């Protein structure tokens, strides 16, 4: 079994509306000293296949569904579990 | 400056509708061998304060806004950057 972990963030300079909303909510709750909040998606995909094939499959999933390269950066890790 | 990283997931046994939707979409795109997809939130909060104070503040943020202990588990890391 493989576990692929993919973190998908907004690129530097792209507006992160959810991060801004969380920062605003925290400030309304009287939290101080917050410089910035980023919100990213964290996907875990469990796959029944060999490691080499899984790495290729997940690259395709990223390209076809999970990441929009215009606005997103991503980190990927695939491991056997 | 501190960076707090918080990963908020659904507890085991709690329905993850977004994970199911992603799995379904990947299958519609003809990807095979997918056992399960989990989707979590990944927060990065940047704070101007000392480490010890920051750790306490982030614990409060988790309690008051970011995590619902009935349905969520979380991982927290706070580090100086």
């Amino acid at each position: 079994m493989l576990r692929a972990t993919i973190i998908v963030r907004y690129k530097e300079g792209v507006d992160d509306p959810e991060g801004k909303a969380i920062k605003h909510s925290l400030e309304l709750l009287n939290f101080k000293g917050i410089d910035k909040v980023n919100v990213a998606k964290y996907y875990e995909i469990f796959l029944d296949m060999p490691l080499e094939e899984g790495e290729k499959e997940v690259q395709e999933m990223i390209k076809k569904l999970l990441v929009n390269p215009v606005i997103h950066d991503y980190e990927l890790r695939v491991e056997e579990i």
Side-chain angles (χ1 to χ4, degrees), chain A residues 56-72:
Chain A
K56 278 184 203 153
E57 284 288 279
V58 175
Q59 290 285 359
E60 283 299 303
M61 292 175 187
I62 285 171
K63 205 152 78 177
K64 290 194 175 154
L65 186 72
L66 303 176
V67 171
N68 175 347
V70 177
I71 58 170
H72 294 141

Side-chain angles (χ1 to χ4, degrees), chain A residues 1-67:
Chain A
M1 178 78 83
L2 302 178
R3 177 174 54 207
T5 306
I6 308 129
I7 301 172
V8 181
R9 319 156 181 274
Y10 288 101
K11 284 189 173 174
E12 206 48 51
V14 175
D15 200 43
D16 175 356
E18 195 175 354
K20 282 187 181 167
I22 296 281
K23 180 173 188 283
H24 184 63
S25 298
L26 289 170
E27 285 166 349
L28 289 177
L29 290 167
N30 267 317
F31 288 105
K32 314 283 183 205
I34 303 169
D35 187 62
K36 195 180 176 189
V37 179
N38 294 332
V39 182
K41 291 276 188 185
Y42 184 97
Y43 299 102
E44 281 177 334
I45 302 179
F46 296 88
L47 296 161
D48 281 318
M49 61 184 67
L51 183 61
E52 203 177 322
E53 187 186 344
E55 284 172 340
K56 278 184 203 153
E57 284 288 279
V58 175
Q59 290 285 359
E60 283 299 303
M61 292 175 187
I62 285 171
K63 205 152 78 177
K64 290 194 175 154
L65 186 72
L66 303 176
V67 171

